[in-house]
Structure formats: C-alpha cells, structure tokens
Amino acid sequence: MTTRVKFVLLALAAGCVPELATTTDESETGTATTAAATDPGTTTSDDAPTTTGTIGEPAQCETFAQYRIDVQAEPNGLYYRVEEQRLYIADDDNNRVLVRDEDGAIEVFAEIPNPSNDPGSDGLGDLDFAADGTLFVPRFGFGMPGLGAIFQVAPGGAPEAIAGVNAEWRRVGLDHDDARGLLWVSTYSRDADDVYTGWIASVDPVAGVETMLLGGLSKPVGIAVLGDTLFVGDQAQRQLFKVDLTAATPALTLVSDEFESLDLMETTPDGALLVLSYDTANSTGYVYRVTADCAITTVAQGDWEPRGIAFDGVSRIFVSARDTQQIVVMPAC
C-alpha cells in the first residue's frame, strides 16, 4: 500500500506479550451512542495495554485539541489520500463511498450496489487504495446469501464486484499489498449459536481467486501489511497478531492480548501501527501506537466508539465515531 505513506515495520519482539486476558462478548454492529464532548488526545489510562519495551519516537507534529466533523453519514472505513489531501469515507448506512475535501465539501465518490434494498443492511467496511488508484471496499453482508462481496473502483470507473469471492463470508478489514498484487482480508463466519470462526484470506483481484492463508482466529477485524509482516486484530479474543509472509508455513505470532474490542488499524510513516480499541465498561475509545520494539502507548482516548481510522501522514488522525455521523480528529503526537 504505497498511497498511504507506509514504511516497512521491523519485526515485533515476541518477548513482550502480556498475560492472557479473558474473552469478551462482541456484537456485529455495536450499540453504544457517543456524546459530543471529547477528552484530550494524549491522556493515558490505568487500563491501557502496557509492555516493558521502550517508547518509540513520536510522530513529528503539532498537538491540538480533539474536534469533530459532521459527515451526515454513518462512517466506517476511512482512507486519507495524501497526494489529494482528501478523506475517503465508507458510509455504512447508505452503501456508498464519500470524499471530503480540506474545505469541508463532501461528495459521493461511488455508490456500492445494495442488493437487499434496505440501506444499512449490507454494510461497508475498510477502505484501501492500490498504487494505481484503484479503490477497494468490502460489503459486509451479515452472512446473508449473496450479500458478502469485495468491490473495486478503478479511476474514473464504476464499482465492480471482484469475481471468485465467497458471498456468505463476513469481511470488515482489508489491505492492498502492492508488492504482491493481493488483498489481505480479515474474514469470519458466525453460526446459529453465535460462535465465530475467523481466518485471514488473500484475494487476487485480477484472477478473481480467494484463498485462505491461515485460520485459528475468532472475529478478526483490523488488518494491515507492512513489508513482509501482516498484522491482524481479533476483536472477540482481544488479541493482536503478526504473520511472517515469507515463512514456508505462515503462523500467527501473538503481539498482545490486552486490547478490548479491537477494530480497524492504520500505519504511520515511522513504521508503527495505530490500533483502535473500545473499553465497553467505561464507554471509552482508544487509539494505541504499537512501535517496532513492541512498546504500546496511548495516542488518544475519548467518549467515542471507534470504527475506522486514517492518518494524514503528518499530524492528524481521523477516527469514525459509531452512531454519531461524526469523525473525530486528533493529533498524532
């Protein structure tokens, strides 16, 4: 993924894995409604995940107070195109992708087909762009026959469903790997007893082939690739994993199991992960920074339930706040 200003992340040390935490119950859409006020963006919490590693270098930016922007949509996945200085927004309620300019003007970038004819019932997930300017977005589908899909929108083109994708699988997170020409997708199913079974899949958008890379997950949501390392967050199990994509037999390596209700994730130019988490007991959302030496620090927190995240490459982090039709903007330092 070159258009999001990503750099290769060094291998995270396996020795900084905290003790096992208990599993939490999760829902597919969430129910929390957030208030209008927000907390300062650099406050830490006693419940924040911690490790014994040293704290990495902070992003070079000027701090500012958190603020919100109204988007008149239910934002989920976000993507900031640095070269355009525009924020792309997956509108979960209306199955469309919006684009917002720096002056606040919002327009529809793409209308994603909505087979159920019930706005919001199909759902959209994360957003990503390939180096050639093609946009990718998953349609969640809630496990309903024919609703699950991944769409690509070529520059100047119309949304097109990628062939060979299982229409009954649930997908939220995805990340395009320009080096390999593949999409990495966090995928899962849910049975009648509310038992989740999750795995990581690769999708070849040209050949129209979806392949399971490895299983062993429950409800994977956020996913990001950095060089030869793939990261995935299991929301139901509170676990963040990494995968060595060069290994003969790829396997999950635990990075941390101290994140409650993990959601989507982003990367920074200095080679770190920005990970979203939500403390259901305190109705508090968090943005955590995971560095190359496995230090985990709190970048921001507030009374919002996070969904999608984007970074402008310099100073601003954008977070979708569930059930508010707003995006919270906070400093990256």
mmCIF file of all heavy atoms in Angstrom, residues 144-196:
data_model
loop_
_atom_site.group_PDB
_atom_site.id
_atom_site.type_symbol
_atom_site.label_atom_id
_atom_site.label_comp_id
_atom_site.label_asym_id
_atom_site.label_seq_id
_atom_site.Cartn_x
_atom_site.Cartn_y
_atom_site.Cartn_z
ATOM 1 N N MET A 144 -25.635 -13.101 4.934
ATOM 2 C CA MET A 144 -26.806 -13.385 4.123
ATOM 3 C C MET A 144 -26.384 -13.821 2.721
ATOM 4 O O MET A 144 -25.452 -13.264 2.141
ATOM 5 C CB MET A 144 -27.703 -12.143 4.033
ATOM 6 C CG MET A 144 -28.181 -11.637 5.380
ATOM 7 S SD MET A 144 -29.174 -12.854 6.273
ATOM 8 C CE MET A 144 -30.636 -12.881 5.215
ATOM 9 N N PRO A 145 -27.071 -14.809 2.163
ATOM 10 C CA PRO A 145 -26.704 -15.311 0.843
ATOM 11 C C PRO A 145 -26.654 -14.206 -0.200
ATOM 12 O O PRO A 145 -27.600 -13.432 -0.355
ATOM 13 C CB PRO A 145 -27.811 -16.327 0.537
ATOM 14 C CG PRO A 145 -28.302 -16.773 1.880
ATOM 15 C CD PRO A 145 -28.208 -15.548 2.747
ATOM 16 N N GLY A 146 -25.537 -14.111 -0.885
ATOM 17 C CA GLY A 146 -25.402 -13.176 -1.988
ATOM 18 C C GLY A 146 -25.018 -11.763 -1.616
ATOM 19 O O GLY A 146 -24.812 -10.932 -2.503
ATOM 20 N N LEU A 147 -24.901 -11.446 -0.311
ATOM 21 C CA LEU A 147 -24.638 -10.059 0.074
ATOM 22 C C LEU A 147 -23.161 -9.762 0.325
ATOM 23 O O LEU A 147 -22.717 -8.637 0.174
ATOM 24 C CB LEU A 147 -25.454 -9.686 1.310
ATOM 25 C CG LEU A 147 -26.975 -9.648 1.145
ATOM 26 C CD1 LEU A 147 -27.622 -9.063 2.395
ATOM 27 C CD2 LEU A 147 -27.376 -8.845 -0.084
ATOM 28 N N GLY A 148 -22.392 -10.739 0.754
ATOM 29 C CA GLY A 148 -20.976 -10.521 1.007
ATOM 30 C C GLY A 148 -20.218 -10.323 -0.303
ATOM 31 O O GLY A 148 -20.453 -11.035 -1.280
ATOM 32 N N ALA A 149 -19.290 -9.337 -0.333
ATOM 33 C CA ALA A 149 -18.563 -9.057 -1.565
ATOM 34 C C ALA A 149 -17.399 -8.124 -1.280
ATOM 35 O O ALA A 149 -17.303 -7.532 -0.202
ATOM 36 C CB ALA A 149 -19.485 -8.426 -2.609
ATOM 37 N N ILE A 150 -16.495 -8.018 -2.256
ATOM 38 C CA ILE A 150 -15.451 -7.004 -2.249
ATOM 39 C C ILE A 150 -15.536 -6.269 -3.576
ATOM 40 O O ILE A 150 -15.570 -6.897 -4.643
ATOM 41 C CB ILE A 150 -14.053 -7.608 -2.079
ATOM 42 C CG1 ILE A 150 -13.949 -8.379 -0.759
ATOM 43 C CG2 ILE A 150 -12.990 -6.504 -2.112
ATOM 44 C CD1 ILE A 150 -12.631 -9.103 -0.577
ATOM 45 N N PHE A 151 -15.584 -4.935 -3.511
ATOM 46 C CA PHE A 151 -15.708 -4.132 -4.722
ATOM 47 C C PHE A 151 -14.409 -3.392 -5.004
ATOM 48 O O PHE A 151 -13.669 -3.011 -4.090
ATOM 49 C CB PHE A 151 -16.855 -3.125 -4.589
ATOM 50 C CG PHE A 151 -18.207 -3.751 -4.733
ATOM 51 C CD1 PHE A 151 -18.818 -4.358 -3.645
ATOM 52 C CD2 PHE A 151 -18.867 -3.748 -5.956
ATOM 53 C CE1 PHE A 151 -20.061 -4.952 -3.775
ATOM 54 C CE2 PHE A 151 -20.114 -4.338 -6.092
ATOM 55 C CZ PHE A 151 -20.714 -4.952 -5.012
ATOM 56 N N GLN A 152 -14.140 -3.198 -6.281
ATOM 57 C CA GLN A 152 -13.036 -2.361 -6.712
ATOM 58 C C GLN A 152 -13.587 -1.250 -7.604
ATOM 59 O O GLN A 152 -14.518 -1.464 -8.380
ATOM 60 C CB GLN A 152 -11.982 -3.174 -7.457
ATOM 61 C CG GLN A 152 -12.479 -3.933 -8.658
ATOM 62 C CD GLN A 152 -11.383 -4.814 -9.257
ATOM 63 O OE1 GLN A 152 -10.227 -4.747 -8.864
ATOM 64 N NE2 GLN A 152 -11.755 -5.654 -10.210
ATOM 65 N N VAL A 153 -13.020 -0.071 -7.446
ATOM 66 C CA VAL A 153 -13.430 1.084 -8.246
ATOM 67 C C VAL A 153 -12.176 1.641 -8.910
ATOM 68 O O VAL A 153 -11.343 2.278 -8.247
ATOM 69 C CB VAL A 153 -14.109 2.170 -7.393
ATOM 70 C CG1 VAL A 153 -14.649 3.276 -8.289
ATOM 71 C CG2 VAL A 153 -15.234 1.578 -6.540
ATOM 72 N N ALA A 154 -12.017 1.376 -10.186
ATOM 73 C CA ALA A 154 -10.865 1.890 -10.918
ATOM 74 C C ALA A 154 -11.013 3.393 -11.125
ATOM 75 O O ALA A 154 -12.135 3.917 -11.110
ATOM 76 C CB ALA A 154 -10.736 1.182 -12.265
ATOM 77 N N PRO A 155 -9.904 4.124 -11.282
ATOM 78 C CA PRO A 155 -10.006 5.565 -11.505
ATOM 79 C C PRO A 155 -10.936 5.886 -12.668
ATOM 80 O O PRO A 155 -10.769 5.400 -13.776
ATOM 81 C CB PRO A 155 -8.555 5.957 -11.834
ATOM 82 C CG PRO A 155 -7.724 4.929 -11.139
ATOM 83 C CD PRO A 155 -8.506 3.650 -11.249
ATOM 84 N N GLY A 156 -11.955 6.680 -12.374
ATOM 85 C CA GLY A 156 -12.917 7.055 -13.393
ATOM 86 C C GLY A 156 -13.925 5.987 -13.741
ATOM 87 O O GLY A 156 -14.782 6.186 -14.607
ATOM 88 N N GLY A 157 -13.875 4.850 -13.023
ATOM 89 C CA GLY A 157 -14.770 3.745 -13.343
ATOM 90 C C GLY A 157 -15.888 3.578 -12.333
ATOM 91 O O GLY A 157 -16.006 4.333 -11.361
ATOM 92 N N ALA A 158 -16.728 2.584 -12.581
ATOM 93 C CA ALA A 158 -17.848 2.269 -11.696
ATOM 94 C C ALA A 158 -17.469 1.104 -10.780
ATOM 95 O O ALA A 158 -16.575 0.318 -11.097
ATOM 96 C CB ALA A 158 -19.074 1.902 -12.528
ATOM 97 N N PRO A 159 -18.133 0.962 -9.630
ATOM 98 C CA PRO A 159 -17.856 -0.147 -8.732
ATOM 99 C C PRO A 159 -18.089 -1.495 -9.420
ATOM 100 O O PRO A 159 -19.087 -1.679 -10.116
ATOM 101 C CB PRO A 159 -18.849 0.061 -7.585
ATOM 102 C CG PRO A 159 -19.169 1.518 -7.626
ATOM 103 C CD PRO A 159 -19.143 1.888 -9.073
ATOM 104 N N GLU A 160 -17.170 -2.419 -9.199
ATOM 105 C CA GLU A 160 -17.263 -3.746 -9.810
ATOM 106 C C GLU A 160 -16.914 -4.791 -8.764
ATOM 107 O O GLU A 160 -15.863 -4.722 -8.108
ATOM 108 C CB GLU A 160 -16.300 -3.840 -10.991
ATOM 109 C CG GLU A 160 -16.281 -5.188 -11.670
ATOM 110 C CD GLU A 160 -15.271 -5.254 -12.810
ATOM 111 O OE1 GLU A 160 -14.642 -4.217 -13.110
ATOM 112 O OE2 GLU A 160 -15.096 -6.343 -13.381
ATOM 113 N N ALA A 161 -17.792 -5.761 -8.575
ATOM 114 C CA ALA A 161 -17.537 -6.834 -7.616
ATOM 115 C C ALA A 161 -16.419 -7.729 -8.135
ATOM 116 O O ALA A 161 -16.389 -8.097 -9.312
ATOM 117 C CB ALA A 161 -18.803 -7.651 -7.382
ATOM 118 N N ILE A 162 -15.489 -8.077 -7.246
ATOM 119 C CA ILE A 162 -14.399 -8.975 -7.615
ATOM 120 C C ILE A 162 -14.939 -10.398 -7.724
ATOM 121 O O ILE A 162 -15.621 -10.884 -6.818
ATOM 122 C CB ILE A 162 -13.270 -8.906 -6.578
ATOM 123 C CG1 ILE A 162 -12.671 -7.499 -6.550
ATOM 124 C CG2 ILE A 162 -12.187 -9.937 -6.884
ATOM 125 C CD1 ILE A 162 -11.626 -7.307 -5.477
ATOM 126 N N ALA A 163 -14.638 -11.048 -8.812
ATOM 127 C CA ALA A 163 -15.104 -12.421 -9.028
ATOM 128 C C ALA A 163 -14.380 -13.377 -8.074
ATOM 129 O O ALA A 163 -13.286 -13.098 -7.589
ATOM 130 C CB ALA A 163 -14.842 -12.830 -10.474
ATOM 131 N N GLY A 164 -15.013 -14.517 -7.810
ATOM 132 C CA GLY A 164 -14.397 -15.566 -7.022
ATOM 133 C C GLY A 164 -14.430 -15.361 -5.530
ATOM 134 O O GLY A 164 -13.779 -16.100 -4.781
ATOM 135 N N VAL A 165 -15.175 -14.368 -5.045
ATOM 136 C CA VAL A 165 -15.259 -14.063 -3.619
ATOM 137 C C VAL A 165 -16.513 -14.712 -3.030
ATOM 138 O O VAL A 165 -17.604 -14.555 -3.576
ATOM 139 C CB VAL A 165 -15.282 -12.542 -3.395
ATOM 140 C CG1 VAL A 165 -15.579 -12.207 -1.943
ATOM 141 C CG2 VAL A 165 -13.954 -11.923 -3.814
ATOM 142 N N ASN A 166 -16.354 -15.434 -1.935
ATOM 143 C CA ASN A 166 -17.481 -16.108 -1.292
ATOM 144 C C ASN A 166 -18.499 -15.084 -0.797
ATOM 145 O O ASN A 166 -18.175 -14.195 -0.011
ATOM 146 C CB ASN A 166 -16.989 -16.968 -0.128
ATOM 147 C CG ASN A 166 -18.077 -17.881 0.423
ATOM 148 O OD1 ASN A 166 -19.144 -17.419 0.817
ATOM 149 N ND2 ASN A 166 -17.808 -19.168 0.465
ATOM 150 N N ALA A 167 -19.733 -15.203 -1.230
ATOM 151 C CA ALA A 167 -20.755 -14.197 -0.950
ATOM 152 C C ALA A 167 -21.394 -14.342 0.428
ATOM 153 O O ALA A 167 -22.226 -13.516 0.805
ATOM 154 C CB ALA A 167 -21.849 -14.266 -2.018
ATOM 155 N N GLU A 168 -21.005 -15.374 1.205
ATOM 156 C CA GLU A 168 -21.611 -15.562 2.523
ATOM 157 C C GLU A 168 -20.637 -15.278 3.660
ATOM 158 O O GLU A 168 -21.021 -15.324 4.818
ATOM 159 C CB GLU A 168 -22.166 -16.988 2.642
ATOM 160 C CG GLU A 168 -23.312 -17.264 1.677
ATOM 161 C CD GLU A 168 -23.929 -18.637 1.867
ATOM 162 O OE1 GLU A 168 -23.736 -19.238 2.947
ATOM 163 O OE2 GLU A 168 -24.608 -19.114 0.949
ATOM 164 N N TRP A 169 -19.400 -14.982 3.352
ATOM 165 C CA TRP A 169 -18.425 -14.685 4.390
ATOM 166 C C TRP A 169 -18.506 -13.224 4.801
ATOM 167 O O TRP A 169 -18.792 -12.345 3.990
ATOM 168 C CB TRP A 169 -17.014 -14.991 3.905
ATOM 169 C CG TRP A 169 -16.767 -16.468 3.708
ATOM 170 C CD1 TRP A 169 -17.589 -17.503 4.064
ATOM 171 C CD2 TRP A 169 -15.615 -17.062 3.093
ATOM 172 N NE1 TRP A 169 -17.026 -18.705 3.716
ATOM 173 C CE2 TRP A 169 -15.803 -18.464 3.123
ATOM 174 C CE3 TRP A 169 -14.453 -16.546 2.537
ATOM 175 C CZ2 TRP A 169 -14.865 -19.350 2.598
ATOM 176 C CZ3 TRP A 169 -13.512 -17.426 2.025
ATOM 177 C CH2 TRP A 169 -13.717 -18.809 2.060
ATOM 178 N N ARG A 170 -18.237 -12.970 6.068
ATOM 179 C CA ARG A 170 -18.214 -11.613 6.601
ATOM 180 C C ARG A 170 -16.796 -11.045 6.489
ATOM 181 O O ARG A 170 -15.830 -11.702 6.866
ATOM 182 C CB ARG A 170 -18.654 -11.612 8.066
ATOM 183 C CG ARG A 170 -20.123 -11.953 8.298
ATOM 184 C CD ARG A 170 -20.340 -12.227 9.780
ATOM 185 N NE ARG A 170 -21.724 -12.176 10.188
ATOM 186 C CZ ARG A 170 -22.567 -13.193 10.156
ATOM 187 N NH1 ARG A 170 -22.158 -14.373 9.701
ATOM 188 N NH2 ARG A 170 -23.823 -13.049 10.568
ATOM 189 N N ARG A 171 -16.708 -9.809 6.013
ATOM 190 C CA ARG A 171 -15.412 -9.147 5.868
ATOM 191 C C ARG A 171 -15.554 -7.688 6.305
ATOM 192 O O ARG A 171 -16.472 -7.003 5.883
ATOM 193 C CB ARG A 171 -14.929 -9.194 4.416
ATOM 194 C CG ARG A 171 -14.841 -10.593 3.834
ATOM 195 C CD ARG A 171 -14.562 -10.527 2.335
ATOM 196 N NE ARG A 171 -14.617 -11.835 1.708
ATOM 197 C CZ ARG A 171 -15.738 -12.415 1.280
ATOM 198 N NH1 ARG A 171 -16.899 -11.781 1.409
ATOM 199 N NH2 ARG A 171 -15.701 -13.605 0.726
ATOM 200 N N VAL A 172 -14.590 -7.223 7.114
ATOM 201 C CA VAL A 172 -14.569 -5.820 7.523
ATOM 202 C C VAL A 172 -13.244 -5.179 7.110
ATOM 203 O O VAL A 172 -13.219 -4.190 6.405
ATOM 204 C CB VAL A 172 -14.771 -5.670 9.047
ATOM 205 C CG1 VAL A 172 -14.723 -4.195 9.447
ATOM 206 C CG2 VAL A 172 -16.092 -6.280 9.478
ATOM 207 N N GLY A 173 -12.139 -5.747 7.574
ATOM 208 C CA GLY A 173 -10.836 -5.173 7.279
ATOM 209 C C GLY A 173 -10.227 -5.734 6.013
ATOM 210 O O GLY A 173 -10.400 -6.914 5.684
ATOM 211 N N LEU A 174 -9.510 -4.881 5.286
ATOM 212 C CA LEU A 174 -8.715 -5.325 4.141
ATOM 213 C C LEU A 174 -7.545 -4.379 3.947
ATOM 214 O O LEU A 174 -7.560 -3.253 4.409
ATOM 215 C CB LEU A 174 -9.552 -5.445 2.865
ATOM 216 C CG LEU A 174 -10.342 -4.262 2.299
ATOM 217 C CD1 LEU A 174 -9.445 -3.186 1.709
ATOM 218 C CD2 LEU A 174 -11.309 -4.737 1.223
ATOM 219 N N ASP A 175 -6.522 -4.856 3.257
ATOM 220 C CA ASP A 175 -5.351 -4.043 2.970
ATOM 221 C C ASP A 175 -4.754 -4.531 1.659
ATOM 222 O O ASP A 175 -4.534 -5.738 1.489
ATOM 223 C CB ASP A 175 -4.330 -4.175 4.099
ATOM 224 C CG ASP A 175 -3.354 -3.014 4.142
ATOM 225 O OD1 ASP A 175 -3.463 -2.115 3.285
ATOM 226 O OD2 ASP A 175 -2.482 -2.998 5.026
ATOM 227 N N HIS A 176 -4.516 -3.607 0.736
ATOM 228 C CA HIS A 176 -3.935 -3.997 -0.544
ATOM 229 C C HIS A 176 -2.421 -4.026 -0.449
ATOM 230 O O HIS A 176 -1.787 -3.092 0.044
ATOM 231 C CB HIS A 176 -4.359 -3.041 -1.659
ATOM 232 C CG HIS A 176 -3.947 -3.514 -3.019
ATOM 233 N ND1 HIS A 176 -2.760 -3.124 -3.613
ATOM 234 C CD2 HIS A 176 -4.536 -4.379 -3.883
ATOM 235 C CE1 HIS A 176 -2.650 -3.712 -4.797
ATOM 236 N NE2 HIS A 176 -3.707 -4.472 -4.981
ATOM 237 N N ASP A 177 -1.834 -5.122 -0.908
ATOM 238 C CA ASP A 177 -0.392 -5.344 -0.898
ATOM 239 C C ASP A 177 0.110 -5.117 -2.321
ATOM 240 O O ASP A 177 0.010 -5.996 -3.181
ATOM 241 C CB ASP A 177 -0.112 -6.776 -0.432
ATOM 242 C CG ASP A 177 1.360 -7.060 -0.212
ATOM 243 O OD1 ASP A 177 2.197 -6.337 -0.795
ATOM 244 O OD2 ASP A 177 1.672 -8.014 0.523
ATOM 245 N N ASP A 178 0.649 -3.928 -2.580
ATOM 246 C CA ASP A 178 1.094 -3.602 -3.938
ATOM 247 C C ASP A 178 2.234 -4.498 -4.389
ATOM 248 O O ASP A 178 2.334 -4.834 -5.573
ATOM 249 C CB ASP A 178 1.523 -2.142 -4.013
ATOM 250 C CG ASP A 178 0.344 -1.183 -3.960
ATOM 251 O OD1 ASP A 178 -0.636 -1.411 -4.692
ATOM 252 O OD2 ASP A 178 0.391 -0.223 -3.183
ATOM 253 N N ALA A 179 3.108 -4.888 -3.474
ATOM 254 C CA ALA A 179 4.249 -5.712 -3.837
ATOM 255 C C ALA A 179 3.821 -7.079 -4.350
ATOM 256 O O ALA A 179 4.466 -7.657 -5.240
ATOM 257 C CB ALA A 179 5.183 -5.872 -2.634
ATOM 258 N N ARG A 180 2.740 -7.608 -3.811
ATOM 259 C CA ARG A 180 2.277 -8.944 -4.181
ATOM 260 C C ARG A 180 1.049 -8.912 -5.084
ATOM 261 O O ARG A 180 0.635 -9.954 -5.586
ATOM 262 C CB ARG A 180 1.986 -9.773 -2.921
ATOM 263 C CG ARG A 180 3.223 -10.011 -2.061
ATOM 264 C CD ARG A 180 2.861 -10.648 -0.721
ATOM 265 N NE ARG A 180 4.046 -10.973 0.054
ATOM 266 C CZ ARG A 180 4.732 -10.108 0.795
ATOM 267 N NH1 ARG A 180 4.310 -8.852 0.894
ATOM 268 N NH2 ARG A 180 5.812 -10.470 1.458
ATOM 269 N N GLY A 181 0.442 -7.756 -5.249
ATOM 270 C CA GLY A 181 -0.750 -7.656 -6.074
ATOM 271 C C GLY A 181 -1.952 -8.338 -5.465
ATOM 272 O O GLY A 181 -2.849 -8.790 -6.189
ATOM 273 N N LEU A 182 -1.989 -8.405 -4.131
ATOM 274 C CA LEU A 182 -3.060 -9.124 -3.432
ATOM 275 C C LEU A 182 -3.749 -8.213 -2.426
ATOM 276 O O LEU A 182 -3.178 -7.229 -1.947
ATOM 277 C CB LEU A 182 -2.497 -10.330 -2.674
ATOM 278 C CG LEU A 182 -1.860 -11.456 -3.485
ATOM 279 C CD1 LEU A 182 -1.228 -12.474 -2.530
ATOM 280 C CD2 LEU A 182 -2.895 -12.132 -4.381
ATOM 281 N N LEU A 183 -4.980 -8.586 -2.094
ATOM 282 C CA LEU A 183 -5.680 -8.016 -0.952
ATOM 283 C C LEU A 183 -5.573 -8.999 0.204
ATOM 284 O O LEU A 183 -5.830 -10.195 0.036
ATOM 285 C CB LEU A 183 -7.165 -7.803 -1.277
ATOM 286 C CG LEU A 183 -7.552 -6.624 -2.146
ATOM 287 C CD1 LEU A 183 -8.985 -6.788 -2.608
ATOM 288 C CD2 LEU A 183 -7.376 -5.306 -1.409
ATOM 289 N N TRP A 184 -5.187 -8.502 1.377
ATOM 290 C CA TRP A 184 -5.269 -9.305 2.591
ATOM 291 C C TRP A 184 -6.567 -8.929 3.287
ATOM 292 O O TRP A 184 -6.852 -7.755 3.499
ATOM 293 C CB TRP A 184 -4.071 -9.039 3.491
ATOM 294 C CG TRP A 184 -2.762 -9.379 2.858
ATOM 295 C CD1 TRP A 184 -1.789 -8.516 2.459
ATOM 296 C CD2 TRP A 184 -2.282 -10.689 2.532
ATOM 297 N NE1 TRP A 184 -0.738 -9.195 1.908
ATOM 298 C CE2 TRP A 184 -1.012 -10.529 1.935
ATOM 299 C CE3 TRP A 184 -2.802 -11.976 2.673
ATOM 300 C CZ2 TRP A 184 -0.252 -11.617 1.499
ATOM 301 C CZ3 TRP A 184 -2.052 -13.053 2.234
ATOM 302 C CH2 TRP A 184 -0.797 -12.875 1.656
ATOM 303 N N VAL A 185 -7.354 -9.933 3.649
ATOM 304 C CA VAL A 185 -8.704 -9.677 4.145
ATOM 305 C C VAL A 185 -8.938 -10.441 5.443
ATOM 306 O O VAL A 185 -8.634 -11.635 5.543
ATOM 307 C CB VAL A 185 -9.767 -10.108 3.105
ATOM 308 C CG1 VAL A 185 -11.151 -9.687 3.564
ATOM 309 C CG2 VAL A 185 -9.448 -9.512 1.744
ATOM 310 N N SER A 186 -9.461 -9.731 6.463
ATOM 311 C CA SER A 186 -9.891 -10.391 7.702
ATOM 312 C C SER A 186 -11.305 -10.905 7.486
ATOM 313 O O SER A 186 -12.213 -10.137 7.170
ATOM 314 C CB SER A 186 -9.824 -9.411 8.873
ATOM 315 O OG SER A 186 -10.590 -8.255 8.629
ATOM 316 N N THR A 187 -11.483 -12.200 7.666
ATOM 317 C CA THR A 187 -12.712 -12.884 7.247
ATOM 318 C C THR A 187 -13.218 -13.782 8.374
ATOM 319 O O THR A 187 -12.422 -14.394 9.084
ATOM 320 C CB THR A 187 -12.431 -13.740 5.995
ATOM 321 O OG1 THR A 187 -11.730 -12.956 5.036
ATOM 322 C CG2 THR A 187 -13.712 -14.265 5.384
ATOM 323 N N TYR A 188 -14.539 -13.861 8.515
ATOM 324 C CA TYR A 188 -15.074 -14.780 9.522
ATOM 325 C C TYR A 188 -16.507 -15.170 9.200
ATOM 326 O O TYR A 188 -17.185 -14.553 8.363
ATOM 327 C CB TYR A 188 -14.985 -14.185 10.929
ATOM 328 C CG TYR A 188 -15.762 -12.916 11.182
ATOM 329 C CD1 TYR A 188 -17.047 -12.943 11.726
ATOM 330 C CD2 TYR A 188 -15.193 -11.668 10.914
ATOM 331 C CE1 TYR A 188 -17.742 -11.776 11.987
ATOM 332 C CE2 TYR A 188 -15.880 -10.493 11.177
ATOM 333 C CZ TYR A 188 -17.160 -10.556 11.715
ATOM 334 O OH TYR A 188 -17.849 -9.398 11.968
ATOM 335 N N SER A 189 -16.957 -16.206 9.889
ATOM 336 C CA SER A 189 -18.347 -16.657 9.795
ATOM 337 C C SER A 189 -18.932 -16.695 11.203
ATOM 338 O O SER A 189 -18.197 -16.658 12.199
ATOM 339 C CB SER A 189 -18.441 -18.043 9.149
ATOM 340 O OG SER A 189 -17.763 -19.010 9.939
ATOM 341 N N ARG A 190 -20.248 -16.781 11.272
ATOM 342 C CA ARG A 190 -20.939 -16.819 12.562
ATOM 343 C C ARG A 190 -22.077 -17.814 12.448
ATOM 344 O O ARG A 190 -22.935 -17.683 11.564
ATOM 345 C CB ARG A 190 -21.458 -15.428 12.904
ATOM 346 C CG ARG A 190 -22.204 -15.312 14.227
ATOM 347 C CD ARG A 190 -22.734 -13.895 14.386
ATOM 348 N NE ARG A 190 -23.404 -13.695 15.659
ATOM 349 C CZ ARG A 190 -24.036 -12.581 16.002
ATOM 350 N NH1 ARG A 190 -24.086 -11.564 15.145
ATOM 351 N NH2 ARG A 190 -24.626 -12.468 17.179
ATOM 352 N N ASP A 191 -22.114 -18.803 13.357
ATOM 353 C CA ASP A 191 -23.143 -19.825 13.245
ATOM 354 C C ASP A 191 -24.385 -19.466 14.057
ATOM 355 O O ASP A 191 -24.451 -18.392 14.676
ATOM 356 C CB ASP A 191 -22.599 -21.205 13.631
ATOM 357 C CG ASP A 191 -22.210 -21.319 15.097
ATOM 358 O OD1 ASP A 191 -22.659 -20.486 15.915
ATOM 359 O OD2 ASP A 191 -21.455 -22.260 15.429
ATOM 360 N N ALA A 192 -25.353 -20.365 14.080
ATOM 361 C CA ALA A 192 -26.626 -20.100 14.747
ATOM 362 C C ALA A 192 -26.478 -19.947 16.260
ATOM 363 O O ALA A 192 -27.351 -19.366 16.916
ATOM 364 C CB ALA A 192 -27.615 -21.222 14.440
ATOM 365 N N ASP A 193 -25.386 -20.464 16.813
ATOM 366 C CA ASP A 193 -25.139 -20.352 18.253
ATOM 367 C C ASP A 193 -24.233 -19.178 18.594
ATOM 368 O O ASP A 193 -23.683 -19.100 19.701
ATOM 369 C CB ASP A 193 -24.504 -21.647 18.768
ATOM 370 C CG ASP A 193 -25.441 -22.835 18.623
ATOM 371 O OD1 ASP A 193 -26.650 -22.674 18.866
ATOM 372 O OD2 ASP A 193 -24.957 -23.920 18.240
ATOM 373 N N ASP A 194 -24.077 -18.247 17.632
ATOM 374 C CA ASP A 194 -23.237 -17.054 17.816
ATOM 375 C C ASP A 194 -21.775 -17.391 18.068
ATOM 376 O O ASP A 194 -21.061 -16.672 18.776
ATOM 377 C CB ASP A 194 -23.761 -16.174 18.954
ATOM 378 C CG ASP A 194 -25.067 -15.482 18.594
ATOM 379 O OD1 ASP A 194 -25.354 -15.357 17.396
ATOM 380 O OD2 ASP A 194 -25.787 -15.067 19.526
ATOM 381 N N VAL A 195 -21.322 -18.486 17.473
ATOM 382 C CA VAL A 195 -19.910 -18.861 17.557
ATOM 383 C C VAL A 195 -19.206 -18.346 16.303
ATOM 384 O O VAL A 195 -19.630 -18.621 15.179
ATOM 385 C CB VAL A 195 -19.738 -20.388 17.667
ATOM 386 C CG1 VAL A 195 -18.254 -20.762 17.622
ATOM 387 C CG2 VAL A 195 -20.383 -20.892 18.949
ATOM 388 N N TYR A 196 -18.121 -17.587 16.512
ATOM 389 C CA TYR A 196 -17.366 -17.029 15.406
ATOM 390 C C TYR A 196 -16.208 -17.948 15.026
ATOM 391 O O TYR A 196 -15.547 -18.528 15.892
ATOM 392 C CB TYR A 196 -16.786 -15.660 15.789
ATOM 393 C CG TYR A 196 -17.810 -14.590 16.064
ATOM 394 C CD1 TYR A 196 -18.170 -14.265 17.372
ATOM 395 C CD2 TYR A 196 -18.407 -13.885 15.026
ATOM 396 C CE1 TYR A 196 -19.102 -13.267 17.628
ATOM 397 C CE2 TYR A 196 -19.339 -12.894 15.276
ATOM 398 C CZ TYR A 196 -19.684 -12.594 16.578
ATOM 399 O OH TYR A 196 -20.601 -11.609 16.828
#
